[in-house]
Amino acid sequence: MANTMQFDLVSPERKLASVQATEVMIPGADGDMTAMPGHAPTITTLRPGILAVVTAEGITEYAVTGGFAEIGPEGVTVLAERGHPVDEMTQKVYSQMLADAHAAHKGAASDMVDATAKLLADMVAIGTHIGLDHDHANFIE
């Protein structure tokens, strides 16, 4: 395919995707970005969010909690700390991910409180996007 690029998504548990894509929307730590064929070489860290991949078959979304994305003219490789296809996310999996983020926030050193508060906000946004209940409007005590 002329206007496609290789996309690979891997988490420690498994390889989640290896497809030809036309676009990859990435939740970058410094802001969302879209990679397309011919993109300038870039490496970015991921924040918790929804990573979306556009292929000839449609759009597939993945919930990721962090990691790295390497973008180049020929493709995108994402190494996610944790990743799940959105259609496989359950309330139980999401609640555990949120509990992990909450624990990181409560145990954070004072210089990391803002970063972990952002992590919690991003996790709540993931649940809102995919229709799962985060149980609490605000975890900051």
Side-chain angles (χ1 to χ4, degrees):
M1 298 180 134
N3 291 321
T4 63
M5 62 185 170
Q6 181 62 37
F7 170 71
D8 293 296
L9 173 58
V10 179
S11 73
E13 295 83 25
R14 64 183 169 151
K15 185 176 211 172
L16 293 160
S18 183
V19 297
Q20 288 294 305
T22 56
E23 296 177 47
V24 179
M25 290 155 276
I26 301 165
D30 293 324
D32 292 345
M33 61 189 305
T34 300
M36 299 173 78
H39 196 286
T42 306
I43 294 177
T44 187
T45 54
L46 303 178
R47 65 172 169 73
I50 301 297
L51 185 144
V53 182
V54 180
T55 67
E57 289 76 37
I59 299 174
T60 305
E61 295 182 321
Y62 301 88
V64 296
T65 60
F68 298 91
E70 179 181 13
I71 305 162
E74 302 299 319
V76 176
T77 300
V78 175
L79 306 173
E81 289 175 2
R82 198 163 175 191
H84 299 277
V86 166
D87 61 1
E88 292 181 13
M89 287 287 289
T90 63
Q91 185 65 50
K92 182 178 178 181
V93 170
Y94 174 66
S95 293
Q96 183 59 56
M97 291 167 72
L98 196 55
D100 293 345
H102 190 227
H105 179 68
K106 286 190 84 79
S110 61
D111 62 335
M112 292 296 296
V113 169
D114 288 344
T116 58
K118 175 75 171 108
L119 170 72
L120 275 171
D122 289 340
M123 290 303 302
V124 169
I126 288 173
T128 300
H129 179 83
I130 60 178
L132 296 175
D133 182 14
H134 55 81
D135 296 329
H136 302 285
N138 186 352
F139 286 101
I140 299 174
E141 298 172 4

